[in-house]
Amino acid sequence: MGKILDLGMTNTQHSGWNIADDGIKVETTDYSIPVGPYDWEIRGFCAPCNNGWMNDLDIAAEDTLVRLINGSNGKITMEESTVIANWAAKTAAVRSLFDKGTNHVVRSDLDWMHAKHSIPQHWQVWIGRSSLAPERRVFTRHFRMAVAQPEGYERVHVTVLAQNRLAVIVRGTEVLPYPAGDPTFQSWSISPIAETERRIVEIFRHGPHSADMKGRGKLTRKDLIEVSSRIGTSSSSRIETYP
């Protein structure tokens, strides 16, 4: 990951919410560490994971990420959306482990990524053009919330991964039984934000989508915090599917 690491070894600024024990109250954290997001490892995983399939996801996405980080605003193919989404899901999972408290991605989704080496199908990924201050070329944010649904509380997590001119936003959610107690169906929510927020484009929902970055407005750090918060808190459509 040399080409990306060269871009990312400045201070990485982080921000996030931690969920209290009651699952509702949140508190904000904001801190910096002197390492880029492309050198993160999950310490709880075995070395073959960090240096094996997880590293393979980095390598597969490297050329596409470097092009977008450097400001390319052209079209993105479905194949490129696939490698970005897989990389983003893995990196979001690692990012979730940075914060104290119960901020982690749910275990079932970690198990999926470990087995499939790909993004869980009920997650969503958007990309946009970031505009960060020169001294803060890398910014991440992660938070998790409990959203009330008819089937119970759904745990939703959102992660922002921004560097230079590229912002990637990942939304994951815990799959719930639907209706309660019926194992035939599963249910989860989706965010329809791309229908109204034109600065970002969705590249993954139930599979990869091609996209066009042309004409997308730039997102500052403040914009990224605001947009990611709306992704986490806005009303979402419901999806039901067979397990």
Side-chain angles (χ1 to χ4, degrees):
M1 293 294 289
K3 289 183 286 185
I4 294 181
L5 287 173
D6 288 344
L7 295 171
M9 289 307 292
T10 55
N11 266 16
T12 300
Q13 189 172 26
H14 300 284
S15 173
W17 294 352
N18 288 334
I19 293 186
D21 291 339
D22 58 11
I24 303 297
K25 183 180 178 181
V26 297
E27 60 183 56
T28 302
T29 62
D30 199 343
Y31 57 93
S32 297
I33 59 172
V35 63
Y38 309 99
D39 199 31
W40 298 342
E41 294 183 350
I42 300 180
R43 295 181 181 178
F45 281 17
C46 60
C49 295
N50 287 317
N51 300 318
W53 66 267
M54 294 173 66
N55 187 59
D56 291 342
L57 295 181
D58 292 338
I59 293 172
E62 182 173 13
D63 288 343
T64 301
L65 289 173
V66 167
R67 176 168 59 85
L68 295 171
I69 286 168
N70 286 330
S72 172
N73 62 353
K75 294 183 178 180
I76 299 168
T77 66
M78 288 183 61
E79 291 76 12
E80 290 172 329
S81 292
T82 298
V83 297
I84 294 173
N86 289 339
W87 168 84
K90 180 271 299 182
T91 307
V94 178
R95 171 63 181 85
S96 77
L97 300 176
F98 273 45
D99 299 329
K100 297 178 181 180
T102 55
N103 239 21
H104 304 167
V105 172
V106 296
R107 184 72 219 185
S108 58
D109 287 347
L110 292 176
D111 290 342
W112 169 281
M113 284 186 275
H114 184 267
K116 305 288 187 179
H117 304 170
S118 64
I119 183 172
Q121 293 298 295
H122 55 283
W123 286 26
Q124 293 174 267
V125 180
W126 301 263
I127 60 173
R129 300 174 63 202
S130 60
S131 178
L132 302 177
E135 69 276 11
R136 296 294 187 191
R137 295 189 299 166
V138 181
F139 171 67
T140 77
R141 185 180 198 229
H142 178 83
F143 64 90
R144 200 187 77 182
M145 328 179 48
V147 180
Q149 303 290 2
E151 303 81 23
Y153 279 98
E154 178 185 34
R155 289 181 291 176
V156 174
H157 60 85
V158 179
T159 308
V160 177
L161 306 165
Q163 180 169 346
N164 285 8
R165 299 180 185 178
L166 173 66
V168 182
I169 305 176
V170 183
R171 181 186 189 273
T173 175
E174 180 184 23
V175 173
L176 296 171
Y178 179 86
D182 185 347
T184 306
F185 291 92
Q186 292 178 324
S187 174
W188 62 86
S189 66
I190 60 173
S191 172
I193 191 171
E195 298 173 6
T196 56
E197 176 53 74
R198 307 309 300 173
R199 290 174 296 180
I200 59 175
V201 58
E202 191 172 36
I203 64 168
F204 189 93
R205 186 207 298 182
H206 310 308
H209 311 297
S210 58
D212 194 341
M213 294 287 284
K214 186 177 181 180
R216 304 285 171 181
K218 295 180 180 180
L219 294 155
T220 64
R221 179 185 181 277
K222 181 179 178 181
D223 294 331
L224 289 169
I225 292 174
E226 187 270 331
V227 170
S228 61
S229 294
R230 283 197 282 132
I231 287 174
T233 60
S234 62
S235 298
S236 301
S237 304
R238 300 297 294 172
I239 293 290
E240 291 85 41
T241 184
Y242 290 101

